[in-house]
Amino acid sequence: MAKSKTIFACQQCGHQSPKWLGRCPDCGGWNTLSEEIQERSPINEFTGAWGISEGVSPRPLVELQGEEGERHATGIGELDRILGGGLVPGSLILIGGDPGIGKSTLLLQAMDRIAAQGVPVLYVTGEESSRQVKLRADRLDVSSPHLFIVSETALDRVLEAIRKIQPKVVVVDSVQTLFVPDLSSAPGSVSQVRESAGRLMALAKTEGTTIFLVGHVTKDGSIAGPRVLEHMVDTVLYFEGGGGHAYRIIRAVKNRFGSSNEIGVFEMRDRGLVEVANPSELFLAERSSGVSGSTVVATLEGTRPLLVEIQALVGTTVFGTPRRTTLGVDHNKVSLLVAVLEKRAGLQLMGHDVFVNVVGGVELNEPAIDLAITLAVASSFLDRPIDSNTIILGEVGLGGEVRAIQQISIRLKEAERLGFKRCLLPESNRKKLDVSTSMTLEGISSVDQALRLALETKKAVGRNTSKVVSEKGLPSPIPSPQRGEG
Ligand code: TYD
Ligand code: MG
């Protein structure tokens, strides 16, 4: 027997070092290295080879049969869409998310639907007892006789159960509870997680079984033993939302069999997760009109357009440095857009706290939302609302210019469907537009111009209007209130 060798592995990122280090040179985590016995590479339980092995004779790629078309629909439309149209046989799918967000619930519901089609399915629970799962299953009306459950954490016995039942789909809840007895480290450590996932992957690839791995999320939001796993699996899904919201958004951050960044929207009810077919309607449902600091943007998540409200609140700074607090959008992006407003539109925001929130717990990070954020901030600062039937699209550059965005026609269609009447969009997009729409389109080329077109005058003229400075004899970038009873 080969002599065992010890190594030090980072419990956050999997980096290995021959000696102990206080700080991981790879991910920069402090005190994350711990001693482990060096593991072997994953040995395929079925072929006896290491990793995936199909023999050594190479074949021309054109002669191979593609496996597209063999997808198994789960019966949950939103889950199928994020997977790219159903489960691909032999794929390994990692699902991450905060505790209690609904990972086990969703998988149990999905497995029941699959099993109802007569396909044998195995649910391995390492966190809860079979009885606990049964209680949840009753609540979710799980009734298929083809759904099997086993409460087990030793990988060997899990594999044995898989051999016995020959399921087409397996759920492992969670991968951090699995352990391989020949490794000395504790369950949940990088070596254990990697070894378990590696053996399961070998099984998935050779037997054509689809395997879901549930992964826990650490405090900083990554799956424990994370990067190692993300590289190995075919698809990575993350739950977003939660935190008091009823909505749960599942995002495909990686997908070898579909487009990434695709999202599925669910609502947590008393009988499990229910699909939300029209998320835009849901996100805009409670919008109040005539309030300053609110804009609506059509964002694209994967292939799906989604209308979301962006809210901003600008208030006077009480202590020293102004705060820039954001929820759902990048903090740096907001700081940058505030700087553009100061420099290019003359709004003096330096003595003000700025808060920006994306309603509904969605996280947005595409450039097309820049103009909507910028206008929301300006609207709140000047206390002048933006017409609630207007949709705002555009990327903002540091020069205050508004740049073209991608896939404008899908976004316009969604806005039109939800009854929006007017759209401010980049001028360069408007010029090249090849779809007709009933909305009034206004091409924008600068932030300044957008402010002039978008901001309405409020009944009682906003108290902040005087803060707009017009330097060097230039006309005020914001028109003075004229309309209505002004
Ligand atoms: P769970 O799936 O156990 O979360 P995870 O596996 O991600 O840790 O979700 C449990 C939460 O969902 C719990 O807070 C209760 C709630 N829930 C409902 O609101 N309705 C339901 O029908 C079920 C089964 C759970
Ligand atoms: Mg769970």
Side-chain angles (χ1 to χ4, degrees):
M1 209 177 125
K3 208 177 139 218
S4 63
K5 197 177 139 198
T6 64
I7 44 129
F8 292 84
C10 172
Q11 298 303 308
Q12 257 177 37
C13 71
H15 176 84
Q16 295 186 344
S17 156
K19 59 183 197 319
W20 189 83
L21 299 168
R23 185 175 189 219
C24 171
D26 195 0
C27 69
W30 288 98
N31 201 16
T32 54
L33 269 68
S34 66
E35 188 171 11
E36 291 179 357
I37 309 277
Q38 177 131 47
E39 81 246 34
R40 300 162 296 147
S41 292
I43 289 185
N44 190 324
E45 297 281 318
F46 294 84
T47 60
W50 284 17
I52 314 168
S53 172
E54 298 176 332
V56 282
S57 51
R59 283 178 291 163
L61 190 58
V62 286
E63 284 180 12
L64 298 184
Q65 296 287 316
E67 284 180 0
E68 199 52 72
E70 289 182 26
R71 286 176 188 262
H72 247 307
T74 59
I76 298 182
E78 289 290 288
L79 184 60
D80 285 339
R81 77 174 284 134
I82 42 179
L83 292 170
L87 298 174
V88 175
S91 61
L92 202 59
I93 303 161
L94 178 66
I95 296 199
D98 294 337
I101 201 159
K103 300 180 293 294
S104 309
T105 306
L106 176 74
L107 288 176
L108 198 57
Q109 286 179 285
M111 289 314 113
D112 179 48
R113 298 277 187 96
I114 298 172
Q117 303 163 21
V119 178
V121 167
L122 177 66
Y123 191 104
V124 180
T125 167
E127 307 214 312
E128 295 159 297
S129 65
S130 309
R131 267 195 47 231
Q132 280 173 303
V133 177
K134 172 70 181 155
L135 285 177
R136 176 180 300 135
D138 287 343
R139 199 162 149 191
L140 299 172
D141 277 341
V142 168
S143 55
S144 171
H146 300 287
L147 171 54
F148 294 86
I149 179 154
V150 56
S151 183
E152 187 54 75
T153 56
L155 184 70
D156 296 340
R157 270 175 274 162
V158 171
L159 292 175
E160 199 183 308
I162 294 175
R163 258 185 237 113
K164 222 178 257 170
I165 296 169
Q166 298 283 327
K168 286 270 178 277
V169 187
V170 177
V171 170
V172 177
D173 187 2
S174 68
V175 66
Q176 273 96 2
T177 55
L178 284 186
F179 77 96
V180 182
D182 25 339
L183 295 184
S184 63
S185 45
S189 67
V190 172
S191 327
Q192 288 282 8
V193 167
R194 178 164 35 196
E195 179 76 12
S196 309
R199 292 196 194 181
L200 287 169
M201 178 177 68
L203 168 94
K205 301 296 170 197
T206 48
E207 303 288 288
T209 315
T210 305
I211 303 185
F212 281 94
L213 300 176
V214 174
H216 278 296
V217 165
T218 55
K219 266 183 275 143
D220 58 353
S222 51
I223 296 175
R227 289 195 228 162
V228 244
L229 275 186
E230 291 190 0
H231 290 310
M232 282 167 112
V233 300
D234 300 302
T235 304
V236 181
L237 308 179
Y238 268 108
F239 267 91
E240 291 172 8
H245 288 292
Y247 323 127
R248 302 284 188 272
I249 293 156
I250 306 176
R251 186 185 296 271
V253 283
K254 164 181 173 182
N255 194 354
R256 286 187 183 147
F257 308 111
S259 82
S260 65
N261 250 341
E262 199 71 67
I263 65 165
V265 184
F266 294 87
E267 192 182 344
M268 183 60 97
R269 300 250 184 93
D270 53 351
R271 312 192 103 206
L273 287 162
V274 182
E275 297 174 58
V276 176
N278 266 319
S280 298
E281 278 166 23
L282 182 84
F283 290 137
L284 297 182
E286 287 163 90
R287 193 163 55 111
S288 50
S289 62
V291 177
S292 66
S294 154
T295 52
V296 180
V297 65
T299 168
L300 214 61
E301 299 295 332
T303 55
R304 160 192 271 177
L306 196 64
L307 299 195
V308 271
E309 180 186 358
I310 294 181
Q311 296 179 329
L313 190 66
V314 179
T316 317
T317 303
V318 183
F319 301 109
T321 335
R323 291 169 61 188
R324 308 281 180 250
T325 308
T326 65
L327 273 176
V329 280
D330 182 27
H331 179 263
N332 290 328
K333 186 199 271 288
V334 172
S335 302
L336 191 144
L337 295 172
V338 166
V340 170
L341 273 176
E342 285 190 354
K343 187 81 179 173
R344 308 291 171 194
L347 304 194
Q348 295 186 333
L349 287 154
M350 55 282 250
H352 292 80
D353 293 336
V354 176
F355 305 91
V356 174
N357 176 35
V358 179
V359 178
V362 209
E363 280 175 32
L364 305 180
N365 56 9
E366 61 158 354
I369 61 169
D370 290 1
L371 189 61
I373 298 176
T374 313
L375 290 183
V377 172
S379 161
S380 172
F381 176 68
L382 299 167
D383 201 14
R384 289 165 57 177
I386 290 172
D387 171 31
S388 59
N389 280 316
T390 302
I391 194 115
I392 294 162
L393 304 171
E395 179 179 352
V396 172
L398 286 186
E401 79 278 15
V402 174
R403 293 157 174 261
I405 58 170
Q406 294 180 348
Q407 314 228 36
I408 192 95
S409 47
I410 315 181
R411 302 178 202 248
L412 291 181
K413 223 181 269 166
E414 178 78 353
E416 193 178 0
R417 191 176 71 80
L418 282 148
F420 282 81
K421 300 280 182 297
R422 178 178 174 229
C423 176
L424 303 191
L425 72 168
E427 173 62 15
S428 39
N429 277 126
R430 195 192 61 80
K431 272 193 291 195
K432 283 188 251 158
L433 202 67
D434 52 3
V435 286
S436 62
T437 165
S438 63
M439 289 190 292
T440 316
L441 301 180
E442 294 179 48
I444 305 284
S445 44
S446 71
V447 168
D448 216 35
Q449 184 197 0
L451 288 180
R452 256 176 288 145
L453 286 172
L455 298 184
E456 293 186 329
T457 45
K458 224 187 170 187
K459 284 197 196 88
V461 174
R463 55 192 151 65
N464 280 338
T465 317
S466 58
K467 285 180 202 152
V468 179
V469 283
S470 64
E471 287 169 90
K472 303 171 217 139
L474 290 173
S476 162
I478 310 299
S480 43
Q482 291 159 342
R483 281 188 283 153
E485 62 281 31

